[in-house]
Amino acid sequence: MILWIKGKAYLNKEIKEVCINFDRRIKEIKSICKPDIDLPQGTLILPGVIDLHTHIRGLKLSYKEDVVSGTSEASYGGVTLIGDMPNTIPFVNTVETITTKLKEFEYYSRVDYFVYSGVTKDFEKVDKLPIAGYKIFPEDLEKEETFEVLKSRKLKILHPEVPLALKGNRKLRLNIWYEIGALYYVKAYQNVHITHATNIRTVRLAKELGFTVDMTPHHLLVNGEKDCLTKVNPPIRDINERLWLLQAISEVDTIVSDHAPHASFEKLQPYEICPPGIAAISFTVPFILTLVSKGIISIDRAVELISTNPARILNIPYGEIKENNYANFTIIQFNDWRYSTKYSKVIETPLDGFPLKASVYMTIVQGKASNLEGDVFPVKGINPFGENK
């Protein structure tokens, strides 16, 4: 079905009243039309938001989060395309597990999706699959096969902590050099992306080495690691490091959620053994637009961070409202509210109650309304790296 939507949109670095004609892709953009969807005053159409780093879990970890709950929360937060990490059960790094994971998304995802493989000994076979790239964890930096994977032309996402960070007292991970040192393991390779940088030195070294780099809202906002609810890898730094990190919002390529859900009973375990992770995939878009509302960043910078730059990193036809790009839109409005999750199986996060000045009015995925004012619908997403269109 071909539709017209009319409203204020971010187009060619300007905000203008336009009409957009689309089905699964954008067909035409003009100034006057008879709209099928006439948006209310105060809304703004943005290119569909992309989150490069999520853990949707699923498979045998569906008790933490499954594809329906995780992608519904993404749509509620205005995210139209998510990248899923491989550390579930079974670990996703073989032809069989990747195929199974992609099928799970194909059947149940409410937004567009792609997956990363873990480091694998079946590199030649895995590299031919419709994946976005590979996730490299700290323990992988000691494996021979990692350096074969690093030669792939596909994207390599590095969790920046050295293998030593996994051994001994957790407090040792608070040393930021454990994070910075990981970048030197991969400095000779191309198309590397550094994820969830927690300090400005990691960001600047990544840029010096020719890498792209991201950060998360919780590494900026959460006031240190105090309990299981705030436990995350790499750890949240002290106030001085976080103030320096705030400057990096003008230097990083994108913002990610690192949505990492765990069951409530797991987060109630003793601090020493409870699993790390904060699950707030629906927080990123309202938070970034709140920074726009407060004049901290421009709308141009916001769209770069959450749409244009991640599409460029992935080299896919997303991230801009232009003809022939996929018809994925994040439609926002400026209003006051306090954050909480809605569809995720995670019902408590350290960001709960955070005051925000923007919310998501509508999420459009593949030309269909996936979310309208907080109600999410069973729209079928696609894998832009695959054939299941």
Side-chain angles (χ1 to χ4, degrees):
M1 179 183 293
I2 297 178
L3 298 173
W4 284 97
I5 188 170
K6 182 179 181 182
K8 286 188 175 179
Y10 181 86
L11 187 67
N12 299 324
K13 296 193 174 183
E14 293 181 345
I15 295 175
K16 56 179 76 173
E17 189 85 19
V18 296
C19 293
I20 305 170
N21 182 227
F22 60 90
D23 50 16
R24 285 187 50 252
R25 290 184 183 255
I26 298 170
K27 300 294 184 183
E28 185 181 1
I29 301 169
K30 62 182 188 179
S31 57
I32 301 173
C33 67
K34 184 178 180 181
D36 300 288
I37 305 170
D38 199 355
L39 295 173
Q41 290 293 319
T43 55
L44 177 62
I45 307 170
L46 302 177
V49 170
I50 301 169
D51 191 336
L52 292 181
H53 186 156
T54 72
H55 301 263
I56 299 299
R57 308 300 189 201
L59 301 180
K60 292 183 180 180
L61 294 184
S62 292
Y63 71 92
K64 297 174 186 271
E65 191 86 286
D66 58 39
V67 172
V68 171
S69 64
T71 60
S72 294
E73 188 71 25
S75 180
Y76 169 63
V79 180
T80 68
L81 173 63
I82 56 104
D84 186 48
M85 294 299 170
N87 55 330
T88 186
I89 298 176
F91 193 76
V92 179
N93 69 340
T94 66
V95 172
E96 181 182 6
T97 53
I98 291 168
T99 302
T100 300
K101 188 66 173 176
L102 286 171
K103 281 292 182 185
E104 189 178 41
F105 272 106
E106 181 182 352
Y107 293 149
Y108 300 115
S109 184
R110 290 351 187 194
V111 297
D112 290 348
Y113 58 89
F114 57 90
V115 303
Y116 302 100
S117 170
V119 168
T120 177
K121 293 182 178 179
D122 296 327
F123 170 67
E124 290 188 5
K125 292 179 181 179
V126 167
D127 206 51
K128 296 175 182 176
L129 296 175
I131 59 173
Y134 300 88
K135 175 65 179 292
I136 300 173
F137 294 95
E139 60 269 26
D140 295 324
L141 294 173
E142 295 181 321
K143 298 176 181 177
E144 288 184 14
E145 56 265 32
T146 299
F147 299 94
E148 189 67 29
V149 165
L150 279 163
K151 296 175 185 176
S152 171
R153 293 183 179 180
K154 295 183 177 181
L155 187 65
K156 282 79 62 177
I157 306 276
L158 177 68
H159 174 127
E161 288 185 287
V162 297
L164 184 62
L166 306 178
K167 303 167 186 175
N169 192 310
R170 178 171 175 81
K171 290 182 179 179
L172 294 174
R173 295 181 95 143
L174 296 174
N175 184 339
I176 64 168
W177 297 105
Y178 276 29
E179 179 177 319
I180 294 167
L183 276 63
Y184 289 101
Y185 281 78
V186 298
K187 68 177 182 178
Y189 297 92
Q190 304 297 314
N191 204 17
V192 173
H193 178 83
I194 309 303
T195 194
H196 49 45
T198 70
N199 67 90
I200 199 164
R201 279 161 281 194
T202 297
V203 172
R204 289 177 176 171
L205 178 60
K207 303 303 281 186
E208 287 174 18
L209 293 173
F211 302 153
T212 51
V213 60
D214 69 53
M215 60 194 285
T216 74
H218 55 258
H219 280 111
L220 268 180
L221 299 174
V222 175
N223 187 22
E225 183 172 297
K226 299 176 179 178
D227 51 27
C228 287
L229 195 64
T230 54
K231 185 178 180 181
V232 65
N233 291 336
I236 292 165
R237 308 302 179 185
D238 62 31
I239 183 65
N240 290 327
E241 289 293 350
R242 287 187 285 116
L243 287 172
W244 278 104
L245 187 63
L246 182 60
Q247 294 186 37
I249 206 159
S250 64
E251 301 178 37
V252 295
D253 294 278
T254 183
I255 304 290
V256 300
S257 68
D258 187 16
H259 179 77
H262 295 287
S264 297
F265 75 86
E266 293 172 313
K267 283 294 192 179
L268 291 173
Q269 292 172 341
Y271 171 79
E272 291 76 15
I273 62 172
C274 65
I278 293 172
I281 194 171
S282 55
F283 182 81
T284 306
V285 174
F287 171 63
I288 293 299
L289 272 298
T290 295
L291 297 184
V292 173
S293 175
K294 292 186 173 186
I296 296 171
I297 62 173
S298 67
I299 187 66
D300 292 343
R301 181 59 179 153
V303 173
E304 285 177 357
L305 285 170
I306 58 180
S307 299
T308 310
N309 285 352
R312 172 180 55 81
I313 291 166
L314 295 166
N315 193 28
I316 53 175
Y318 290 73
E320 291 182 76
I321 298 175
K322 69 177 186 179
E323 291 178 11
N324 208 40
N325 271 13
Y326 284 114
N328 283 19
F329 308 111
T330 301
I331 303 171
I332 62 99
Q333 57 191 354
F334 291 100
N335 58 350
D336 293 325
W337 67 294
R338 290 183 178 269
Y339 179 73
S340 64
T341 60
K342 184 171 183 179
Y343 293 94
S344 174
K345 293 183 179 183
V346 173
I347 58 174
E348 186 178 12
T349 84
L351 296 169
D352 290 351
F354 189 91
L356 296 162
K357 291 187 171 294
S359 64
V360 176
Y361 174 76
M362 182 186 287
T363 308
I364 295 178
V365 175
Q366 295 294 308
K368 298 179 177 66
S370 175
N371 160 42
L372 176 61
E373 296 186 276
D375 292 328
V376 172
F377 309 107
V379 167
K380 190 171 183 177
I382 69 153
N383 172 17
F385 296 92
E387 298 300 324
N388 59 325
K389 305 281 197 292

